[in-house]
Amino acid sequence: MQHFRARMKLVSIFSALMASTFATNVSTVYQFPNGTWAENIAAMGNGSLLVTTLDTAQVLIVHPQGSPASSSVIATFPNATGALGITEFQADVFAVIVAKLVPGNATNPQSFSLWKLDVTAKGEGVKVSKMSELPDMAMPNGMAALNHEMLLLADSTYGNIAAYNVSTGKTEVVLEDPSLAANLSAPGLQLGANGIKFHNDYVYYTNTAQALAGRVRVHPSTGRPNGFFETARDSTFNGPDDFAVARDGSMYVCAPLAAPLGDKIHHIELNGKVTTIAEGGLVVGSTSSTFGRTEKDNSTLYVSTMGGFGPDGTAKAGGRVIAVKLH
Ligand SMILES: *[C@@H]1O[C@H](CO)[C@@H](O)[C@H](O)[C@H]1NC(C)=O
Ligand SMILES: *[C@@H]1O[C@H](CO)[C@@H](O)[C@H](O)[C@H]1NC(C)=O
Ligand SMILES: *[C@@H]1O[C@H](CO)[C@@H](O)[C@H](O)[C@H]1NC(C)=O
Ligand SMILES: *[C@@H]1O[C@H](CO)[C@@H](O)[C@H](O)[C@H]1NC(C)=O
Ligand SMILES: *[C@@H]1O[C@H](CO)[C@@H](O)[C@H](O)[C@H]1NC(C)=O
Ligand SMILES: *[C@@H]1O[C@H](CO)[C@@H](O)[C@H](O)[C@H]1NC(C)=O
Ligand SMILES: *[C@@H]1O[C@H](CO)[C@@H](O)[C@H](O)[C@H]1NC(C)=O
Ligand SMILES: *[C@@H]1O[C@H](CO)[C@@H](O)[C@H](O)[C@H]1NC(C)=O
């Protein structure tokens, strides 16, 4: 642990020099209209992508293999204002966090619910149903499946990670650590635990206010800790949002804050090395990412964006899905 942390200081100097020298091929898959904030993204086994939007409570499906790629609304949620984390937890069954927020009050408890999108019935459309209200959570944001029965939700306001049992519909806090905490006294970004993924018995996470990424080994059936919390910080790292984990356990983290703070995608390797792999241009306002799941696109990182922050702090364009080819 200490070694891992100590290493970060050296790495931060090194990576500042290395930043933005990495050549990647970045292209637009789909441009959404103005006002669309693409918040989170999940790849389907059949090659399509599911994208949640924060400005409207819906899930869009994007078909990247078409030329041009196409998109349509696949699910809407009644009486709600936006959608956040999305994850597959059984084959072709996805869970989605849905928000019903009072404008200007993003931390209003009891305004979130969990919904199920079942796309298993081919050709018969999508079955959309409510799984539960989430009364014990203040701001569920990122979400990952631990297994078919348990979901993990990062609460950005309470600064912890809760496990949701699909059978009981109940949540219970399973991960608590200073590295997950929000900073409710910060004048700017206050969000703690934000993005979350589960890979090879490790829960990976980002903390937006503390500008760090971390991981902890957990018990694969409960999500409770089974090791130390390891964290990576870097001087180039600001306002990290959601991310993807590659097969080798490294992270591809979106940093949507306006340049020069963010507008970057960082690669964090297991040895602690942090590199900026893409910056500015199409990458502005990136919110989350996922690897494609077909043979053709399993080394393509698909990224959702909110369009980039303008000088007044609002979106300067419609969000997108972009593709970052890594090989
Ligand atoms: C980048 O990808 C595009 C679309 O797949 C392709 O047309 C172009 O040749 C690629 N450019 C490089 C430098 O690989
Ligand atoms: C994947 O499945 C969804 C849901 O059945 C369907 O709408 C979509 O067209 C499929 N995508 C491809 C590329 O076949
Ligand atoms: C939407 O909210 C209104 C007012 O709270 C309520 O009357 C209505 O039943 C709700 N509709 C649904 C589908 O939940
Ligand atoms: C936001 O929601 C909380 C909890 O319901 C409430 O205490 C607070 O007054 C609300 N703030 C605003 C600005 O509406
Ligand atoms: C919270 O933010 C304040 C103001 O930026 C800062 O002084 C403080 O160190 C932060 N606390 C933590 C725990 O990061
Ligand atoms: C989830 O709830 C079911 C039904 O009560 C229970 O049998 C199971 O052990 C629970 N799973 C976990 C990981 O707690
Ligand atoms: C991508 O798919 C190919 C073909 O199935 C496989 O050989 C390769 O290992 C996969 N790569 C990754 C990163 O999953
Ligand atoms: C979208 O918003 C941008 C920035 O405000 C503006 O320049 C552009 O004209 C808008 N496009 C449409 C189609 O409204």
Side-chain angles (χ1 to χ4, degrees):
M1 256 296 270
Q2 278 312 113
H3 176 68
F4 191 72
R5 278 215 174 114
R7 205 185 152 80
M8 288 306 135
K9 286 204 168 151
L10 295 173
V11 164
S12 64
I13 298 160
F14 178 64
S15 66
L17 298 171
M18 292 294 291
S20 73
T21 57
F22 192 100
T24 29
N25 192 342
V26 183
S27 59
T28 298
V29 173
Y30 197 84
Q31 168 76 64
F32 299 113
N34 277 3
T36 307
W37 178 308
E39 168 66 8
N40 217 305
I41 185 165
M44 296 180 67
N46 72 3
S48 294
L49 304 166
L50 297 178
V51 178
T52 61
T53 64
L54 194 58
D55 57 285
T56 308
Q58 63 184 359
V59 177
L60 303 168
I61 187 167
V62 175
H63 310 291
Q65 48 289 101
S67 53
S70 57
S71 172
S72 60
V73 176
I74 198 169
T76 57
F77 308 97
N79 272 4
T81 55
L84 294 102
I86 181 166
T87 189
E88 186 180 43
F89 66 103
Q90 290 164 9
D92 283 330
V93 182
F94 293 79
V96 183
I97 296 169
V98 174
K100 182 183 178 180
L101 294 174
V102 178
N105 199 348
T107 57
N108 189 357
Q110 313 208 331
S111 32
F112 294 86
S113 54
L114 196 58
W115 290 67
K116 182 160 89 170
L117 250 65
D118 185 336
V119 298
T120 51
K122 302 238 178 326
E124 289 170 37
V126 180
K127 279 185 268 172
V128 182
S129 57
K130 191 197 259 184
M131 297 169 78
S132 301
E133 296 287 339
L134 295 171
D136 300 331
M137 302 198 72
M139 192 189 173
N141 193 335
M143 178 167 53
L146 189 62
N147 53 53
H148 294 339
E149 292 298 320
M150 299 290 282
L151 297 167
L152 296 174
L153 293 85
D155 192 317
S156 296
T157 297
Y158 287 157
N160 58 31
I161 292 171
Y164 172 87
N165 184 323
V166 172
S167 307
T168 63
K170 295 270 186 326
T171 54
E172 194 181 354
V173 174
V174 289
L175 295 171
E176 286 180 288
D177 188 69
S179 68
L180 293 166
N183 188 344
L184 300 180
S185 59
L189 289 172
Q190 303 185 336
L191 305 183
N194 186 333
I196 177 170
K197 293 288 178 298
F198 180 64
H199 175 83
N200 277 358
D201 285 359
Y202 278 87
V203 170
Y204 287 73
Y205 57 90
T206 52
N207 183 313
T208 304
Q210 296 189 44
L212 62 79
R215 66 173 198 159
V216 58
R217 187 192 282 276
V218 300
H219 290 282
S221 56
T222 63
R224 293 190 182 280
N226 190 21
F228 297 106
F229 285 81
E230 304 170 50
T231 56
R233 296 170 202 260
D234 184 88
S235 63
T236 64
F237 206 37
N238 263 298
D241 200 342
D242 218 316
F243 59 90
V245 177
R247 203 165 49 167
D248 67 1
S250 66
M251 301 169 77
Y252 287 88
V253 182
C254 295
L257 292 185
L261 295 177
D263 279 347
K264 294 171 186 167
I265 296 177
H266 298 279
H267 185 209
I268 306 180
E269 294 170 64
L270 285 180
N271 65 7
K273 184 179 164 191
V274 181
T275 320
T276 300
I277 64 152
E279 183 169 5
L282 299 179
V283 170
V284 300
S286 65
T287 51
S288 187
S289 60
T290 185
F291 281 96
R293 288 170 60 186
T294 71
E295 272 182 33
K296 282 190 181 153
D297 69 356
N298 67 3
S299 62
T300 298
L301 189 68
Y302 291 108
V303 180
S304 53
T305 86
M306 46 65 71
F309 287 103
D312 64 353
T314 63
K316 62 184 177 189
R320 297 170 191 248
V321 171
I322 61 173
V324 179
K325 298 223 166 80
L326 296 176
H327 301 292

